[in-house]
Amino acid sequence: MTMRQKIEEAAARYPDQRSAIMPALMIAQKEHGYLPGPVLEEVADILGVERIWVYELATFYTLLHTEPVGLFHLQLCDNVSCMLCGCEDLLEYLETALRIKKGDTTPDGLFTLSTVECLGACEMAPVMQVGDDYHGDLDVARIDALLDDLRATAGRVRSVVDDASTRPPGE
């Protein structure tokens, strides 16, 4: 099913096409990895809504990305509960461990590091979201273990992709 078909199917559930912008953006981001201008315009055109409405949502929510992000997007909560539990020190540690600053992506494309206002998981503070998964009660040891697991996962994914790209067509 094409992106257009998926968006049209999702939009059919809403009486007002403007209400379908958020699910349409999620579909487009899953398809493209992020939401560059031409994709935002395509979403608006598919839904028949004002382009500015699409741009407003795409640039407001931290779960939507108008710039490319790494394979693993590390989103560290920096709201009050996480701040009180040491997220600022963890951010500094992540910047050192990954050799990037907040908002950057590692040269190998594996990690993008961001902070977010609130992940709604104060009971797990300090907490970080990676993809759809939350990782809480973080400390340096847990971050190191998480980064090691993510690197291992990336290695397996790249191995599968490389293997598939070297196979003759039809195998």
Side-chain angles (χ1 to χ4, degrees), residues 12-134:
R13 290 178 256 172
Y14 296 89
D16 179 351
Q17 293 301 282
R18 188 173 182 176
S19 300
I21 295 172
M22 194 68 173
L25 287 172
M26 296 299 290
I27 291 166
Q29 182 168 277
K30 188 169 187 169
E31 182 85 16
H32 294 278
Y34 72 109
L35 300 166
V39 172
L40 295 176
E41 292 170 5
E42 183 178 0
V43 167
D45 293 345
I46 291 168
L47 295 175
V49 299
E50 297 291 327
R51 289 180 174 179
I52 189 64
W53 297 344
V54 174
Y55 277 90
E56 288 171 342
L57 285 179
T59 58
F60 179 78
Y61 289 104
T62 58
L63 75 155
L64 299 171
H65 314 293
T66 56
E67 298 292 328
V69 294
L71 181 61
F72 302 109
H73 189 186
L74 311 177
Q75 298 179 90
L76 182 67
C77 179
D78 65 0
N79 208 324
V80 175
S81 295
C82 290
M83 182 188 66
L84 292 173
C85 292
C87 75
E88 291 168 332
D89 292 336
L90 295 178
L91 175 61
E92 192 174 303
Y93 179 77
L94 281 162
E95 288 177 331
T96 300
L98 298 172
R99 298 184 181 134
I100 59 174
K101 293 291 183 191
K102 175 179 80 168
D104 292 340
T105 300
T106 56
D108 60 6
L110 278 185
F111 300 105
T112 297
L113 179 60
S114 301
T115 56
V116 292
E117 182 60 30
C118 183
L119 290 173
C122 298
E123 73 282 0
M124 298 169 57
V127 65
M128 180 167 56
Q129 183 176 359
V130 182
D132 293 332
D133 298 324
Y134 280 30

